[in-house]
Amino acid sequence: MPKNDTFDQVATILQGYADKAIFRGYNKGKPSNGRVVHRLLWHREQVFELVMDTRRKTLHFPALLPKVPVKSEMYRAFQAFLREIASKERPTHRQIDPKKAKITCANRRGNVSLTLTVRDGDYEYAVRKLIALVHEIFRIFLLPYFDWECEVYDLDPDHP
Amino acid sequence: MSETKNNSNGTSRRNFLAVPVAAGVAAASVAAKASAAMSPAALMAEVGATSIQIPKRITESLSEAPKVGSFEGRGMTGAEVFAKLCKEEELAAMFCCPGNYTVINAIAAAGIPTYGGRCEGAMCAMADGFSRVTGEVTATSGTEGPGFTRMIMNVASAHAARTPLLVLASNMQMAWDDREYFIQTGYQQPTTTGMKKYGKRLIDPPRVHEYGAYAFRALKSGVPGVVHLDFPGEVARARYTESTKLTDFYTKERYRTESRAFPSPKDVEKCADMLTKAERPVIVAGHGVFHRKAWDVLQQMVERNEIAVVSSGPMRGHFPDDHRLSAAMSYKALMSADVVLFIGQYSMPSPTEYGFSPDVKSIRVHPEQEDLGRNWPLDLGIVSDERAFLEALDNKLGAKKRDAWVSEIAAQRAGFEKEIADIYAKGLTTSNETGLLHPAVIAKETHDFLYKGSIDKKQTVLGWGGWTIGNQTGRWLRAYRPGQVVNCAFQYGAIGPDMAMTIGAGAAVQRGVGPQKPYQGAPVFVITSDAGMAHSLFELDTASKYKIPIVALVYNNNSWGMWPNAAGSPRAEHMYLFQENLRYDQMAEGLGARGEYVLTPQQLRVALKRSYDIAAKQGISTLINCQAKKEFTVGVRLGPEPSVGAIMH
């Protein structure tokens, strides 16, 4: 598939999520050198950048969770959460097929990034799985970390 | 104000005041005379001032025969015309403080169950609570200015919960509008802007019945809501000896209809097709299912087609938590759903508030077209009454087995139970180490007492609220039948109405109204915070006065739950803190209820049993003061939505 079609395909899917109000805002980026940065207004009204890199075959959130120290309980729990996502005990429809995509995370100075590597060129599968995973991180993983959210996003706890 | 004329019972105000004087009661105007005639000790003995008791006159008053107004003889006042309409509309109960005298007296005389209490705000919450566990229309009332404005938080709370609540207030006269004459001047209707479905200041006395009809049409049609009528004296006190003096004086069969919106067959077919093709469908059954008493058809339909259900709204139980298809405790399974059908979901979340997959297909059924698509983009919107839709869908859907889906729900339910058990275990360790009660321990002990012991688990109505305690409690409470759990903080997030709201629910249980009928007379429970209790503690007098047995657990952590927001502001911290170890239990004793003060799980267990037994056998309420500390707030874990502990939608 030509690269531009792949970019368009992913952009169309992301626009579809914006149309379903999963994102409250979406800014389609312009591809350049096999790379595009989409901006998503998402959890707690924060803007998240999603970087699509067709040369590296990745979809990447460079700053998914800020201010999470490497040695914190929260980061350990996040890693465990991702391991559980990859577990075969998880229902099939919720699994990410390792032949099609691989999820990794990294923590650089407390800034947690999340990367999905596309293994078979199926970007539609990849972007849908990644958005579902991040949505699950926001809706489920973060439930016990309300105090953290209030602090890092500067939220009023009565109106997060 | 002059009110010397005889009322409908033929008793003048002067004669009414004179009777207790003759009996020796120390009425202010004759105190000197009475004390001159009797020694202080004799006077105290005569009035029984040394012990808390329910005066005989309360009991006598409650057993007075109803007397609905008529055009015969002296005719009816405007208030009596309205009260008669309320009676014909089967207004379930009114909760008030004195004020708006002509109207509340007429409503009481008409035979409508009435309750008088200590604060209009709390009484408004009681009316709301009664309605939340029955679905019935209730009323609240207070005087024009101060009483009415005291109601406001709870009017707004009822509005957020779409409670069919009739707010009545006033006794001012239009003749004195804008003049600040005497006291209590206020402008009511602008005050309730944004928190009512319909409101009107009645200014034309002959239209009192007509506007009563407007009120009940709004209360009993479509999506329920708050209706606010204010009654100036000219309207309430006008007198009518014949119906020709009243405009539009005809019956409810003509001024409103029981006809409901039925769904389009095409919509039902499309919905049935989407559900049939789905592998993992879920229904979010909101309070419209409760209000339309559609829980039976819902259960029948989902059992045949194996559709999961999670209930939402300010009351729970319209789908039982112990049903194999209940996803109320399987919040992680909801991410697997491929189709979600919202029905009766009046307070509509955004997709980022509910834990569904971004790829889920969405259907919503709502009685009003203009609300479809609000907040949550839809694949299919259907205009219909909730019950009519479920009946139509039930006729259309065939049988289907979804074993894998049912297994996934069960597995995630087990995961949830383990999750809260782990939180409890940590809380228990904390309790043992500190000698104080962690909120998870309070929640679990109450859970075990109500649902795992000798009491029928379907019996006890429970209201809950508060921040720290609410977050822990919500996930431990269960609803096994309609109207069993009251989510006091639903949507509006008010801190304070919990106990009053649950006393109102207790009044419904005491009378056996609607789904409370099988459990008539059973005690009710409430779990609330020390911050919240301050708003309604005095209503233990009301509960005691009307013998509504309530067991109130107060999480006493010596602070507002939001005290961590003082972090980094040392000069602000005092504003978040109370005196420590306050004895709410002793205050309860001073109000005619019992008090228990507990610090350990063992003490709590004993107190729960003792309090319940006394409530069930003697109708006496208890406040259990659960001593904790503010540091237990740390690490608040928000409840997932939708689920058992949801408060937002």
Side-chain angles (χ1 to χ4, degrees):
Chain A
M1 183 184 286
K3 292 279 178 2
N4 280 346
D5 282 0
T6 307
F7 286 129
D8 288 346
Q9 184 187 29
V10 168
T12 302
I13 291 167
L14 293 174
Q15 181 61 55
Y17 289 128
D19 292 345
K20 294 182 76 171
I22 300 301
F23 317 135
R24 293 201 71 193
Y26 165 59
N27 185 41
K28 178 184 172 183
K30 288 182 181 171
S32 172
N33 296 324
R35 190 171 179 274
V36 63
V37 180
H38 299 286
R39 289 165 62 81
L40 318 171
L41 181 62
W42 201 349
H43 183 64
R44 306 291 185 209
E45 302 293 296
Q46 304 295 310
V47 174
F48 294 84
E49 290 191 344
L50 171 57
V51 182
M52 177 180 175
D53 190 327
T54 53
R55 289 191 293 197
R56 292 184 177 182
K57 297 181 179 174
T58 57
L59 294 163
H60 176 60
F61 282 97
L64 187 68
L65 303 174
K67 297 181 185 172
V68 182
V70 176
K71 292 186 177 175
S72 64
E73 177 279 333
M74 186 177 175
Y75 190 57
R76 285 195 297 278
F78 184 69
Q79 290 172 308
F81 182 82
L82 292 185
R83 280 196 296 276
E84 195 185 316
I85 295 291
S87 162
K88 286 186 178 172
E89 288 173 22
R90 192 170 159 89
T92 318
H93 50 271
R94 298 269 291 277
Q95 289 177 9
I96 295 177
D97 185 347
K99 290 176 188 166
K100 296 177 76 65
K102 182 188 175 188
I103 291 285
T104 52
C105 71
N107 188 324
R108 289 191 175 80
R109 294 180 185 175
N111 188 35
V112 177
S113 62
L114 187 70
T115 304
L116 184 148
T117 305
V118 185
R119 287 179 158 165
D120 66 347
D122 187 349
Y123 276 87
E124 177 177 354
Y125 176 89
V127 73
R128 288 194 187 283
K129 285 293 181 184
L130 181 61
I131 296 300
L133 171 59
V134 175
H135 188 68
E136 193 168 336
I137 289 167
F138 292 156
R139 299 280 12 107
I140 293 179
F141 171 74
L142 286 181
L143 283 172
Y145 300 105
F146 185 62
D147 290 340
W148 172 87
E149 286 191 273
C150 289
E151 194 169 316
V152 303
Y153 297 136
D154 192 23
L155 304 175
D156 180 330
D158 288 350
H159 301 281
Chain B
M1 282 179 290
S2 170
E3 204 178 290
T4 53
K5 292 175 191 167
N6 286 358
N7 61 21
S8 58
N9 290 328
T11 307
S12 75
R13 181 185 171 94
R14 280 185 203 163
N15 286 342
F16 179 72
L17 289 170
V19 171
V21 172
V25 172
S29 61
V30 294
K33 185 179 172 186
S35 59
M38 304 176 78
S39 70
L43 182 61
M44 294 295 275
E46 183 75 17
V47 300
T50 54
S51 63
I52 297 168
Q53 59 185 323
I54 300 171
K56 197 172 135 197
R57 192 55 207 133
I58 287 180
T59 314
E60 290 171 352
S61 171
L62 285 167
S63 58
E64 289 279 345
K67 188 181 175 191
V68 184
S70 86
F71 291 115
E72 303 299 315
R74 297 182 66 245
M76 284 188 281
T77 62
E80 287 169 326
V81 170
F82 181 74
K84 188 167 185 288
L85 178 88
C86 291
K87 180 69 178 170
E88 286 162 3
E89 283 283 10
E90 298 174 341
L91 177 67
M94 179 182 68
F95 297 83
C96 66
C97 287
N100 197 19
Y101 311 109
T102 320
V103 172
I104 65 169
N105 291 354
I107 287 176
I112 292 163
T114 47
Y115 300 85
R118 305 301 295 264
C119 172
E120 289 85 348
M123 299 313 285
C124 179
M126 282 188 209
D128 190 351
F130 189 112
S131 184
R132 288 191 194 198
V133 297
T134 61
E136 299 297 322
V137 175
T138 53
T140 186
S141 178
T143 195
E144 173 121 8
F148 166 69
T149 46
R150 262 201 294 263
M151 292 179 192
I152 287 299
M153 178 181 83
N154 294 307
V155 171
S157 195
H159 171 71
R162 274 67 162 182
T163 300
L165 175 69
L166 178 58
V167 177
L168 303 168
S170 193
N171 56 12
M172 301 297 288
Q173 293 174 61
M174 289 179 284
W176 297 108
D177 265 357
D178 306 320
R179 297 178 65 95
E180 296 185 88
Y181 175 76
F182 206 58
I183 55 172
Q184 299 187 338
T185 298
Y187 297 97
Q188 290 192 37
Q189 291 299 328
T191 313
T192 50
T193 299
M195 54 182 85
K196 64 190 166 193
K197 182 178 179 185
Y198 173 74
K200 186 73 181 175
R201 184 174 203 221
L202 308 186
I203 54 171
D204 190 16
R207 299 182 72 184
V208 62
H209 183 276
E210 182 186 345
Y211 278 117
Y214 267 73
F216 278 94
R217 188 162 49 247
L219 288 160
K220 294 199 164 184
S221 308
V223 176
V226 170
V227 167
H228 171 201
L229 294 183
D230 57 300
F231 276 85
E234 288 91 337
V235 176
R237 294 179 189 186
R239 194 165 279 281
Y240 302 95
T241 53
E242 56 177 289
S243 61
T244 53
K245 304 286 187 190
L246 292 160
T247 58
D248 292 357
F249 188 75
Y250 41 77
T251 62
K252 63 183 179 184
E253 289 75 20
R254 293 185 181 276
Y255 65 67
R256 64 180 182 84
T257 177
E258 291 294 339
S259 178
R260 304 279 172 172
F262 272 63
S264 131
K266 275 188 180 174
D267 287 343
V268 175
E269 195 170 328
K270 190 171 178 189
C271 178
D273 184 54
M274 288 171 74
L275 289 170
T276 303
K277 286 177 180 164
E279 292 179 43
R280 296 172 298 280
V282 172
I283 291 178
V284 178
H287 39 324
V289 173
F290 177 75
H291 274 288
R292 295 292 298 128
K293 297 181 171 54
W295 50 75
D296 48 353
V297 62
L298 171 69
Q299 190 165 328
Q300 174 183 297
M301 185 192 74
V302 299
E303 283 175 354
R304 202 175 60 247
N305 205 264
E306 295 206 322
I307 301 171
V309 179
V310 54
S311 62
S312 66
M315 71 294 289
R316 296 193 64 255
H318 36 285
F319 195 78
D321 287 339
D322 57 349
H323 197 284
R324 69 193 178 90
L325 291 167
S326 171
M329 286 169 280
S330 310
Y331 71 95
K332 288 184 179 174
L334 297 179
M335 268 305 168
S336 294
D338 48 2
V339 171
V340 57
L341 165 63
F342 295 98
I343 181 162
Q345 178 90 13
Y346 298 153
S347 176
M348 200 63 198
S350 302
T352 50
E353 293 182 285
Y354 264 15
F356 288 107
S357 157
D359 290 309
V360 74
K361 289 189 173 63
S362 305
I363 307 166
R364 185 176 173 211
V365 178
H366 194 70
E368 294 167 355
Q369 185 184 10
E370 62 266 34
D371 209 59
L372 290 167
R374 182 173 65 87
N375 299 345
W376 193 296
L378 300 173
D379 295 284
L380 177 61
I382 301 174
V383 180
S384 178
D385 169 72
E386 293 87 351
R387 186 174 185 92
F389 174 80
L390 287 169
E391 286 170 350
L393 187 62
D394 186 38
N395 288 333
K396 197 78 189 168
L397 271 184
K400 184 154 181 167
K401 296 290 283 179
R402 294 184 170 93
D403 293 340
W405 183 217
V406 176
S407 297
E408 186 177 344
I409 290 163
Q412 294 295 1
R413 187 185 302 126
F416 173 82
E417 283 169 350
K418 181 180 181 311
E419 184 182 302
I420 60 173
D422 289 347
I423 295 170
Y424 161 72
K426 287 179 188 167
L428 184 60
T429 302
T430 305
S431 281
N432 291 337
E433 286 171 357
T434 58
L436 297 167
L437 280 164
H438 188 275
V441 173
I442 298 169
K444 167 75 160 48
E445 289 292 341
T446 309
H447 168 100
D448 290 354
F449 180 73
L450 293 177
Y451 315 129
K452 302 282 187 190
S454 57
I455 303 168
D456 175 0
K457 68 178 185 180
K458 289 184 177 177
Q459 176 197 279
T460 309
V461 166
L462 189 147
W464 64 285
W467 175 243
T468 313
I469 186 66
N471 270 298
Q472 293 284 357
T473 302
R475 59 185 69 122
W476 280 102
L477 300 180
R478 301 291 175 264
Y480 300 107
R481 50 88 176 176
Q484 192 176 0
V485 168
V486 186
N487 183 349
C488 301
F490 177 80
Q491 224 316 285
Y492 197 62
I495 296 292
D498 316 330
M499 189 173 77
M501 203 175 278
T502 310
I503 292 171
V509 176
Q510 186 186 50
R511 291 180 178 276
V513 178
Q516 308 306 332
K517 180 72 180 169
Y519 311 101
Q520 184 165 9
V524 294
F525 275 57
V526 64
I527 303 181
T528 187
S529 64
D530 48 355
M533 180 51 77
H535 291 253
S536 36
L537 180 64
F538 252 71
E539 302 309 334
L540 280 173
D541 172 39
T542 310
S544 301
K545 170 178 153 183
Y546 292 105
K547 297 179 181 170
I548 298 168
I550 182 168
V551 177
L553 289 98
V554 180
Y555 173 68
N556 181 2
N557 70 343
N558 309 317
S559 68
W560 289 95
M562 285 295 176
W563 73 271
N565 293 303
S569 303
R571 269 186 67 79
E573 193 171 349
H574 65 94
M575 295 188 289
Y576 296 74
L577 307 180
F578 309 147
Q579 294 181 85
E580 295 190 345
N581 312 317
L582 287 173
R583 297 302 299 268
Y584 303 101
D585 49 308
Q586 293 178 352
M587 297 177 205
E589 287 170 359
L591 290 164
R594 292 180 63 255
E596 300 260 7
Y597 184 67
V598 294
L599 297 101
T600 68
Q602 294 76 16
Q603 289 173 352
L604 174 58
R605 217 167 292 151
V606 171
L608 281 167
K609 177 158 181 19
R610 188 162 47 216
S611 304
Y612 175 83
D613 287 346
I614 291 171
K617 290 171 188 162
Q618 299 174 43
I620 294 172
S621 297
T622 298
L623 185 153
I624 304 177
N625 187 353
C626 302
Q627 188 62 57
K629 60 193 293 191
K630 67 180 189 303
E631 287 74 13
F632 294 165
T633 300
V634 174
V636 160
R637 180 189 182 94
L638 286 188
E641 302 223 354
S643 81
V644 284
I647 61 164
M648 293 181 279
H649 300 287

